[in-house]
Amino acid sequence: MPIKHPNLKLTRLTDALPAWTGEIGPDDLHEICRQVHDGGGRLVALWGSDTRQQDRGFQLHVLLLNETGMVCLNVQLSAEQPVYPDISQIFPAASRMQRATYDMLGIYAQEGHDHRKWVRHGAWHSGSFPLRKDFDAAASRTDEADAYPFVQVEGQGVHEIPVGPVHAGIIEPGHFRFSIIGERVLRLEERLGYVHKGIEKRFESMSLQQGAKLAGRVSGDSTVAYAWAYAMAAESIAKVTPPSRALWMRALLLERERVANHLGDLGYLGNDVALAFGFAQFWILKEQVLRNNAALFGHRYLMDTIAPGGVAVTLSAEGKRVIEAECAMLEQQVRILRGIYDEHAGVQDRFIGTGVVTPKLAAQLGLCGLAGRASAQAWDARVQFACAPYDKLDVQMSTYRNGDVASRAIVRFGELFESLRLQREILVNLIHEDEAPAALAKLPPNGFGIGMVEGWRGEVMVAIHTDAQGNLTRVHPHDPSWQNWPLLEHAIIDNIVPDFPLINKSFNLSYSGQDL
Amino acid sequence: MYQILKQIIKTGIKTETPPQVDESMRVDTQRLQQEILDVFGGALAIRQVDAGSCNGCELEIHAVNNAYYNIEGMGIKFVASPRHADLLLVTGPVSRHMEIALKRTYDATPDPKLVVAIGDCACDGGIFGESYASCGKVSNVIPVDVVVSGCPPAPTAILQGILTAISARKP
Ligand code: SF4
């Protein structure tokens, strides 16, 4: 049992990962969170749902993680006064999630320190909440001026640079407010939510299959991770295990997604320090991976290759040879390029010591995923909770301690090589017996399931709730960027403004995945 | 330096022939005149605007910069400001939160200007559709000249859309 508390009775979910749920009242939330925190655990996600139609008021869902597994706390809140105790003192990452949960649902963290809106700009009225079941989309339209009180930094010589939402490159939109002295950054404040396009509301009217397509488009660069997490949640509710061939295929696709993204980012990291050679070389390699994806799986980024219950693609013996050859080619080429990056004085000069997140701060604020591992946070869902087929693969985690741009590049290189090794192992194990895929058409009623997958950026989580008819009543996708965006505000402090693009790229966080 | 040069020589030239223009991508046949082409000359500056995409379309727009498609080799480059741009490349369903920013970017782009909408979302709202948070297709917010469908469209299709937008209208 992961957590002990007199008022908490845990039920084990039939899940690919060790996961439990339990109902508690708001008064017990603090103590349980504190206990998980003190034991080295973390907050994965926080969301809410409107269950007033079932006479259950509102619910707050808090997903916690420790080394034994995940626990989803369901906190009952009254329909009239949906308030719960603020947990951002224990888990700072909760702050933005609490603000977003209020914007979307109108449930409220008492005694919270920051009650500013988060995802809501001017698109809907304050006091109307899109994820309530009685939300009237037509009546919500507003032309309210979109005021947002940024924190002001005062003092002699301090001035502000506002950037965005439309940025200077090919990049997702968001707003950054720098307070600077000369070129030195004193403070950065992020404001996101610009690409909020109503994903969670959209899920509510979708079938299980349509939902799978949408899950694969929460964040386009992590389509495999989201589609797998969604499928895992659905399979948990339906209590089915996909055939082992499907699981091997999923892992193969996930590692290919990781390789493609790391190649692209390593190219851009070179570009951002004026080594255009790096961009050209890495993107040639990335393009070759994408072309193989298109030829073998019908999509360059592998969208719609995973379906609840199984996978939508196969791999022939010839296809295996293509991937083997590709892995060998990448292994050799990336080694050469890593040597060049390592020896290039200009690259090392800009990478080392830039955008530092110390291990201490990373642990305090809950930095996760790739960026977390570059700051000595040794978490990787493929290692701690190795679900099939990772339980047979013995994944080597890449970690580093310095927490700077150089460390994040080193971790990327490490993960890239490990992904190539994993792909080769998967190919050896991927045997083509004809197992009937368990096509998942519909889910059982009143179900709840969680899926979590270590995507290339970090842990991608999808939670699914079904209603009395077995329809999707609430789907919550959670991106690791929620945890990591606040750390970027720290990483830039005392650096110069021109290094911001480089630092930002070294994290490469998702906007779409967290704006939803 | 020696390693870099060696690698460059070993890599060779990867750039492929650009695609032909495709008039069926054109939405608005009236807007482009030969004079505009003359104004652009051989060079074209593009400002890309993500107005609410899932970031999938951006991945393919990045890819048109790679050595295989080599968009810069055709005299087309991405610029940082709409004031320096001849063409806006817009992705996503337009989120309600990006509606004003997109309009302002359009207004800030000097005339004559072209707009190419990239991806199914930008063409018709795609999987996100229209909702309390999404305005749907790009042409619901600003005028569009050429649409490129696909989720996301391949780099050749994106190139084709851009080339179609700047090619002379067939009489
Ligand atoms: S068209 Fe597809 S890839 Fe492009 S933004 Fe829409 S969902 Fe994403």
Side-chain angles (χ1 to χ4, degrees):
Chain A
M1 278 294 185
I3 306 174
K4 286 200 171 52
H5 187 273
N7 296 342
L8 177 67
K9 260 225 286 301
L10 291 174
T11 323
R12 175 102 198 222
L13 294 172
T14 323
D15 209 291
L17 301 166
W20 291 262
T21 58
E23 316 262 313
I24 55 164
D27 295 344
D28 295 321
L29 182 62
H30 251 172
E31 206 182 312
I32 298 175
C33 286
R34 177 65 65 190
Q35 195 187 326
V36 171
H37 173 270
D38 293 347
R42 299 189 295 124
L43 169 77
V44 179
L46 180 151
W47 69 103
S49 54
D50 177 1
T51 40
R52 287 174 300 167
Q53 281 163 347
Q54 292 96 279
D55 281 334
R56 299 181 66 201
F58 291 96
Q59 297 208 26
L60 176 77
H61 311 282
V62 180
L63 185 62
L64 303 170
L65 180 77
N66 64 14
E67 70 282 355
T68 51
M70 287 187 288
V71 172
C72 184
L73 303 172
N74 298 320
V75 190
Q76 305 284 337
L77 310 178
S78 84
E80 296 73 39
Q81 254 221 323
V83 293
Y84 59 92
D86 167 41
I87 58 165
S88 66
Q89 303 297 312
I90 306 169
F91 297 113
S95 180
R96 287 178 180 180
M97 300 181 211
Q98 290 179 169
R99 288 162 66 187
T101 307
Y102 176 76
D103 290 349
M104 299 305 293
L105 212 61
I107 67 178
Y108 197 74
Q110 251 172 341
E111 298 137 19
H113 283 267
D114 194 346
H115 282 148
R116 291 175 298 168
K117 57 187 180 173
W118 180 247
V119 276
R120 182 174 67 81
H121 291 203
W124 69 94
H125 283 289
S126 56
S128 79
F129 305 103
L131 287 181
R132 289 194 174 186
K133 296 292 178 189
D134 52 8
F135 173 72
D136 180 356
S140 76
R141 295 203 141 228
T142 159
D143 292 311
E144 262 174 39
D146 176 35
Y148 186 82
F150 285 95
V151 174
Q152 301 289 322
V153 178
E154 282 166 5
Q156 213 180 7
V158 179
H159 52 128
E160 271 188 354
I161 313 178
V163 178
V166 179
H167 294 307
I170 303 165
I171 170 174
E172 299 181 84
H175 184 89
F176 299 107
R177 189 68 63 104
F178 296 92
S179 301
I180 58 166
I181 281 197
E183 286 222 302
R184 203 161 61 87
V185 179
L186 293 176
R187 184 189 161 88
L188 163 65
E189 191 173 351
E190 296 152 1
R191 187 180 182 208
L192 307 179
Y194 287 91
V195 288
H196 175 76
K197 45 194 171 283
I199 290 178
E200 286 173 292
K201 191 74 183 173
R202 197 101 185 138
F203 271 119
E204 292 180 6
S205 58
M206 285 186 153
S207 69
L208 183 64
Q209 287 72 25
Q210 289 167 325
K213 268 187 105 96
L214 182 59
R217 286 158 178 81
V218 168
S219 177
D221 56 30
S222 303
T223 180
V224 175
Y226 273 100
W228 190 354
Y230 177 89
M232 196 187 280
E235 286 148 12
S236 156
I237 299 177
K239 301 194 186 345
V240 299
T241 309
S244 80
R245 182 182 67 83
L247 293 171
W248 284 110
M249 282 297 288
R250 287 179 183 182
L252 179 71
L253 298 168
L254 187 70
E255 296 310 321
R256 294 185 66 73
E257 178 167 278
R258 192 181 322 276
V259 166
N261 280 296
H262 285 345
L263 288 172
D265 281 352
L266 287 166
Y268 266 111
L269 285 172
N271 209 43
D272 281 351
V273 298
L275 184 66
F277 163 85
F279 175 82
Q281 293 285 332
F282 275 107
W283 277 70
I284 286 171
L285 303 180
K286 179 173 181 179
E287 180 70 22
Q288 291 176 4
V289 174
L290 300 178
R291 287 182 177 198
N292 282 343
N293 281 347
L296 298 172
F297 308 113
H299 196 285
R300 283 163 57 92
Y301 297 92
L302 306 170
M303 280 177 175
D304 308 321
T305 51
I306 294 180
V311 284
V313 287
T314 53
L315 186 65
S316 63
E318 173 54 26
K320 280 188 183 184
R321 278 192 288 277
V322 171
I323 295 182
E324 269 161 14
E326 178 205 281
C327 287
M329 179 278 292
L330 288 178
E331 176 99 41
Q332 188 212 6
Q333 291 295 312
V334 176
R335 266 189 212 294
I336 296 173
L337 295 176
R338 185 174 65 176
I340 290 174
Y341 272 29
D342 281 350
E343 308 247 303
H344 195 282
V347 168
Q348 294 304 317
D349 183 46
R350 294 282 306 280
F351 279 14
I352 294 174
T354 307
V356 175
V357 179
T358 61
K360 186 159 167 255
L361 189 68
Q364 258 170 14
L365 301 190
L367 189 68
C368 70
L370 172 144
R373 289 189 287 277
S375 293
Q377 304 305 300
W379 285 91
D380 185 323
R382 297 172 301 165
V383 177
Q384 270 99 355
F385 311 110
C387 66
Y390 285 106
D391 52 349
K392 298 182 197 73
L393 286 171
D394 195 17
V395 176
Q396 295 297 304
M397 202 190 306
S398 299
T399 54
Y400 214 71
R401 289 201 61 81
N402 297 353
D404 54 2
V405 173
S407 307
R408 290 184 282 277
I410 288 167
V411 169
R412 275 190 174 78
F413 274 116
E415 295 194 352
L416 216 165
F417 288 121
E418 177 66 359
S419 272
L420 296 176
R421 183 187 75 80
L422 293 173
Q423 282 191 55
R424 289 179 176 141
E425 284 239 357
I426 291 167
L427 290 177
V428 174
N429 286 282
L430 187 67
I431 296 162
H432 284 264
E433 69 250 51
D434 263 327
E435 285 173 272
L440 211 50
K442 187 111 207 266
L443 295 179
N446 301 318
F448 171 64
I450 309 170
M452 192 171 85
V453 168
E454 190 71 35
W456 69 272
R457 189 181 274 123
E459 306 139 0
V460 163
M461 194 282 298
V462 175
I464 301 179
H465 305 253
T466 60
D467 65 9
Q469 284 76 44
N471 297 319
L472 303 177
T473 178
R474 180 83 175 88
V475 176
H476 178 69
H478 180 91
D479 198 272
S481 303
W482 277 105
Q483 269 82 356
N484 292 1
W485 272 117
L487 267 300
L488 186 61
E489 292 180 347
H490 290 271
I492 181 70
I493 291 175
D494 273 345
N495 287 260
I496 56 172
V497 179
D499 271 341
F500 182 69
L502 175 65
I503 297 170
N504 194 19
K505 188 41 123 185
S506 73
F507 283 86
N508 195 2
L509 303 176
S510 170
Y511 299 69
S512 180
Q514 85 106 54
D515 291 351
L516 296 176
Chain B
M1 199 63 207
Y2 165 73
Q3 271 295 339
I4 294 183
L5 290 174
K6 190 171 142 204
Q7 185 71 8
I8 290 172
I9 290 161
K10 262 192 358 209
T11 307
I13 292 171
K14 298 276 182 200
T15 308
E16 299 170 346
T17 344
Q20 295 294 308
V21 303
D22 178 0
E23 284 299 319
S24 68
M25 288 173 156
R26 196 184 293 285
V27 182
D28 192 332
T29 48
Q30 300 308 311
R31 294 184 65 225
L32 195 88
Q33 306 295 331
Q34 184 59 45
E35 303 91 74
I36 302 181
L37 266 185
D38 298 340
V39 174
F40 288 150
L44 183 81
I46 298 178
R47 173 65 266 205
Q48 195 265 336
V49 185
D50 175 343
S53 102
C54 78
N55 197 31
C57 283
E58 274 62 34
L59 297 177
E60 289 298 51
I61 296 173
H62 284 297
V64 298
N65 281 306
N66 77 28
Y68 285 85
Y69 308 104
N70 191 15
I71 193 170
E72 287 213 6
M74 285 181 247
I76 302 172
K77 64 174 197 289
F78 288 88
V79 292
S81 165
R83 300 203 190 281
H84 305 154
D86 311 305
L87 183 149
L88 295 180
L89 204 58
V90 187
T91 62
V94 182
S95 72
R96 298 253 299 145
H97 291 162
M98 278 302 287
E99 190 181 352
I100 294 174
L102 178 60
K103 278 188 188 145
R104 286 192 187 158
T105 306
Y106 181 80
D107 291 340
T109 311
D111 288 320
K113 54 193 160 200
L114 293 163
V115 176
V116 176
I118 297 291
D120 288 349
C121 293
C123 293
D124 61 10
I127 193 160
F128 304 105
E130 285 180 36
S131 72
Y132 75 92
S134 162
C135 306
K137 60 184 176 184
V138 174
S139 62
N140 286 348
V141 179
I142 57 170
V144 169
D145 297 278
V146 165
V147 294
V148 183
S149 61
C151 182
T156 36
I158 294 173
L159 268 182
Q160 201 171 29
I162 294 168
L163 296 176
T164 304
I166 57 175
S167 72
R169 177 165 53 98
K170 299 258 167 9

